[in-house]
Amino acid sequence: MSASPSAASSTWISAPVASLNGAAAVPGDTAVAVRALVLAALTVGESRVDGAPLACLGPVVQALRALGARIEEAGGGAWQVRGVGVGGLRQAVGLLDLEGDGLAFALLSGVLATQAGETFLTTRHPGAAAFLKATLSPLARMGAAFTPAGDGLGGVHPPLLVRGAARAVPVDHRPLAPVACDAKSALLLAALNVAGRTTVVEETPTADHTERLLRQFGAALVTRRQPDGAWAVSVDGQRELRPTVVAVPGDPALAAAALVAAMLRPGSNITLTGVGVGGHRGALFPVLRAMGGT
């Protein structure tokens, strides 16, 4: 497979091969890396995030710097982060443009909702409107206020003015519709600066990157099965996070393409290292085994 050298556009040409063979390290999972950087910015002390995919982290890195965190690239996919503590982000001047990073937009919307100050955020991610529809109401019940853009028909979309609550209150949130992973994450990060326990109930569990990282950073987090089978995630807020070293696993979604391609070519033998398969991210692998893959 090759690409044209043109900077304006690229043409990719592929051709069938008899089999796929070899070994490769899978690039880091952006969903983990973005969460790790945001949480590292909320610690008191210096954290390190290793194995992060450098190409797509620019917007969240620049936003966190504008909010007061010190973040430096350490080479080889590593970042050094000196945080400002829970509730310690400063009010940014101007618009924080997260570009296409909808996850960073979601996480920062939650974090900034429960600390005093006003911040403008925006993103071009197509899922931002759905996130705002699902999340602004529970964040407002915590005490935050928002001014989103609108379409005149009741819909909202970025840019978003966040007016954080100086004295936010905890909530119990059980949405009528299934909660999206970015919405759950925003609420859990908002809970970090709230006195008391905030709980989000999921009818169907979503990816647990945020919960795993919150535990690693020392947050007071409790997960439990409800009597009706739903899954409840609770955070006890206003406790400082501890600095840590996060090793970002390889993105299973990127690994999936190579694995499926190898399954389709008899005689293929590939090895992918460092792939993250914890939580709810490894569903493809047992399916491939059931289809005869090894």
Side-chain angles (χ1 to χ4, degrees):
M1 182 178 288
S2 61
S4 73
S6 170
S9 62
S10 297
T11 300
W12 295 86
I13 301 172
S14 64
V17 296
S19 62
L20 297 176
N21 295 277
V26 178
D29 192 335
T30 304
V32 176
V34 171
R35 287 171 166 86
L37 289 173
V38 173
L39 284 170
L42 300 178
T43 66
V44 176
E46 189 164 296
S47 297
R48 182 180 175 95
V49 179
D50 290 330
L54 300 180
C56 53
L57 294 179
V60 68
V61 167
Q62 292 303 318
L64 290 172
R65 286 172 175 163
L67 292 167
R70 292 177 53 189
I71 306 179
E72 302 295 335
E73 185 180 344
W79 295 87
Q80 294 289 138
V81 184
R82 180 166 290 278
V84 294
V86 171
L89 295 176
R90 69 190 180 200
Q91 185 170 308
V93 177
L95 179 69
L96 295 184
D97 187 354
L98 281 305
E99 300 180 9
D101 194 341
L103 174 60
F105 175 81
L107 299 181
L108 291 178
S109 297
V111 169
L112 294 169
T114 54
Q115 66 165 59
E118 295 186 353
T119 307
F120 270 108
L121 301 172
T122 194
T123 179
R124 297 192 300 272
H125 192 277
F131 163 78
L132 292 175
K133 182 178 180 181
T135 316
L136 292 192
S137 177
L139 289 176
R141 286 194 288 120
M142 286 180 164
F146 303 93
T147 304
D151 59 10
L153 301 174
V156 295
H157 57 78
L160 176 71
L161 173 62
V162 182
R163 298 183 183 90
R167 294 180 179 85
V169 297
V171 299
D172 289 338
H173 181 58
R174 184 163 187 163
L176 297 177
V179 64
C181 186
D182 58 353
K184 175 185 70 172
S185 297
L187 294 171
L188 295 179
L189 266 59
L192 291 172
N193 197 37
V194 178
R197 173 168 290 191
T198 294
T199 299
V200 180
V201 179
E202 301 180 286
E203 300 291 341
T204 302
T206 59
D208 61 351
H209 306 314
T210 300
E211 293 95 311
R212 289 169 177 257
L213 285 168
L214 282 168
R215 288 192 179 96
Q216 186 172 347
F217 279 95
L221 181 120
V222 177
T223 57
R224 61 195 181 280
R225 183 76 66 181
Q226 301 287 82
D228 61 358
W231 194 249
V233 185
S234 300
V235 171
D236 294 329
Q238 292 196 339
R239 304 189 184 190
E240 291 295 350
L241 302 180
R242 61 171 179 255
T244 189
V245 177
V246 177
V248 178
D251 189 340
L254 297 179
L259 292 172
V260 172
M263 284 281 291
L264 296 175
R265 306 306 300 174
S268 294
N269 186 0
I270 65 172
T271 300
L272 303 178
T273 59
V275 182
V277 295
H280 308 286
R281 293 281 280 170
L284 174 66
F285 305 115
V287 172
L288 293 180
R289 291 191 188 99
M291 297 173 66
T294 57

